[in-house]
């Protein structure tokens, strides 16, 4: 039985396989994030001590605290991230 050795890949073939290019891409990413921050809000006294009623009230009246949500100033937790789209941007 005769065996023929497999030729080693040439240096040029290896270089071509490792060659990279820089391209511009347009990406659409969706993130599910959680922000932790503090806000001073005025609420009816009777709901201030009931966590469920307070939550419902603040959900219905987000204008009371929304301006205090600073995406770069508080604590940020990224819960999930996925890439929705990627497209090559052709440039001249």
């Amino acid at each position: 039985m005769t065996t023929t050795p497999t030729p080693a890949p040439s240096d040029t073939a290896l270089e071509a396989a490792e060659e990279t290019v820089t391209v511009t891409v347009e990406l659409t990413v969706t993130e599910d994030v959680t922000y932790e921050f503090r806000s001073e809000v005025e609420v009816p006294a009777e709901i201030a001590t009931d966590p469920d009623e307070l939550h419902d009230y603040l959900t219905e009246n987000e204008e009371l605290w929304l301006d205090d949500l600073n995406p770069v100033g508080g604590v940020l937790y990224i819960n999930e991230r996925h890439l929705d789209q990627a497209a090559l941007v052709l440039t001249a």
Side-chain angles (χ1 to χ4, degrees):
M1 178 174 188
T2 306
T3 60
T4 307
T6 306
S10 69
D11 288 340
T12 19
L14 288 175
E15 288 173 10
E18 295 175 5
E19 184 178 339
T20 63
V21 296
T22 300
V23 297
T24 301
V25 293
E26 185 172 304
L27 304 170
T28 302
V29 176
T30 300
E31 291 183 335
D32 177 17
V33 298
T34 300
Y35 299 103
E36 285 187 8
F37 63 99
R38 292 184 180 196
S39 180
E40 289 189 21
V41 295
E42 289 190 30
V43 298
E46 66 270 9
I47 68 160
T49 58
D50 184 324
D52 291 331
E53 285 189 41
L54 179 61
H55 178 271
D56 291 345
Y57 183 82
L58 293 175
T59 298
E60 293 172 11
N61 298 282
E62 69 178 23
E63 71 279 357
L64 297 174
W65 53 265
L66 190 57
D67 286 343
D68 292 334
L69 188 150
N70 180 351
V72 295
V75 178
L76 167 68
Y77 301 99
I78 299 175
N79 302 321
E80 182 179 329
R81 174 185 294 135
H82 62 279
L83 179 63
D84 297 322
Q85 295 179 338
L88 184 64
V89 176
L90 300 177
T91 57

